Amino acid sequence: MASQGRYWSREELFAYQELVRTSPKHQRGVVRVHARKLEGKKSEAMIRQHRIIADEPAARGGKDEAPTPLEVFLAGVALSTTHTAALVAREMDIPYETLEVRARAYFDRRGIMDIDGVSSAFQEVLCEIHINSLADAIAIRELGKAVERRCVPLNTLKTAVQVVYRVVHNSRAVIGDETVGQEPEGTI
């Protein structure tokens, strides 16, 4: 496959697609994140060797030294959409000058504060791809449809997905089954 620091060629990309299509051990991916509470309203997440800090604005008791956890969540959606759009553009041989994704999400704060039984879930998420390209509108529309089908966070938000929630206290599950959600063999 490709060396680090450069895009895959279209041939390398198509070879990887074929590997995923034909090799069951390459079909199920996994994303791992480890988060922990820091001082004040800050938390950190470790993702491989990368560190992400989240904080709250001063108006909500934080020091405003980093994005909020919800902003980080939405950034993940926008970044993955950007990545998927660039991947699809490469596959479809669509040139572009600029490719940006703008996202915003709306929620009811009563849910976070456990008021009136209101859900804390996002009520609406808007995700827009802005692309400047010499390609025609038909090609860009097809790109947009492919991104919508293939972007993992977008599809996760759009569909019901099983969430395994567990609380572990002193190495014992106090909420959730200890065996549910364990990774199957062969996940890479």
Side-chain angles (χ1 to χ4, degrees):
M1 287 295 126
S3 65
Q4 290 184 328
R6 71 171 179 85
Y7 273 124
W8 285 355
S9 69
R10 290 182 77 217
E11 293 76 23
E12 289 169 321
L13 180 59
F14 294 140
Y16 184 69
Q17 284 178 330
E18 187 60 24
L19 177 66
V20 171
R21 182 182 347 275
T22 59
S23 172
K25 77 176 190 176
H26 287 89
Q27 292 172 356
R28 182 176 171 130
V30 63
V31 176
R32 293 177 182 88
V33 175
H34 178 95
R36 68 185 181 113
K37 178 78 174 73
L38 300 175
E39 74 281 349
K41 292 270 189 148
K42 275 197 235 176
S43 298
E44 78 171 355
M46 294 302 299
I47 306 157
R48 294 178 289 118
Q49 73 273 20
H50 306 287
R51 180 177 183 227
I52 297 175
I53 301 293
D55 195 6
E56 291 287 341
R60 291 201 301 272
K63 293 183 179 178
D64 203 16
E65 294 177 347
T68 70
L70 293 179
E71 290 165 336
V72 172
F73 178 91
L74 192 58
V77 174
L79 289 166
S80 187
T81 303
T82 303
H83 176 81
T84 305
L87 177 77
V88 171
R90 186 167 205 65
E91 288 175 6
M92 295 176 67
D93 208 17
I94 294 175
Y96 57 87
E97 289 180 35
T98 61
L99 173 62
E100 298 178 5
V101 172
R102 300 174 191 164
R104 58 182 179 264
Y106 301 92
F107 64 98
D108 190 323
R109 287 192 174 104
R110 292 177 297 170
I112 294 171
M113 303 309 297
D114 204 15
I115 297 171
D116 298 334
V118 173
S119 171
S120 63
F122 284 135
Q123 297 166 331
E124 180 182 15
V125 175
L126 173 65
C127 190
E128 299 175 328
I129 297 174
H130 292 257
I131 185 168
N132 290 324
S133 172
L134 296 175
D136 63 25
I138 294 169
I140 300 302
R141 189 175 298 117
E142 290 306 310
L143 176 140
K145 288 178 184 178
V147 170
E148 188 175 19
R149 283 191 311 273
R150 295 171 58 180
C151 181
V152 173
L154 272 180
N155 277 294
T156 301
L157 288 173
K158 289 173 54 177
T159 61
V161 61
Q162 178 186 0
V163 175
V164 176
Y165 178 72
R166 188 174 21 233
V167 176
V168 179
H169 174 250
N170 297 333
S171 302
R172 292 199 57 199
V174 294
I175 296 177
D177 184 342
E178 291 186 31
T179 61
V180 174
Q182 292 181 354
E183 290 184 24
E185 268 194 49
T187 300
I188 56 173

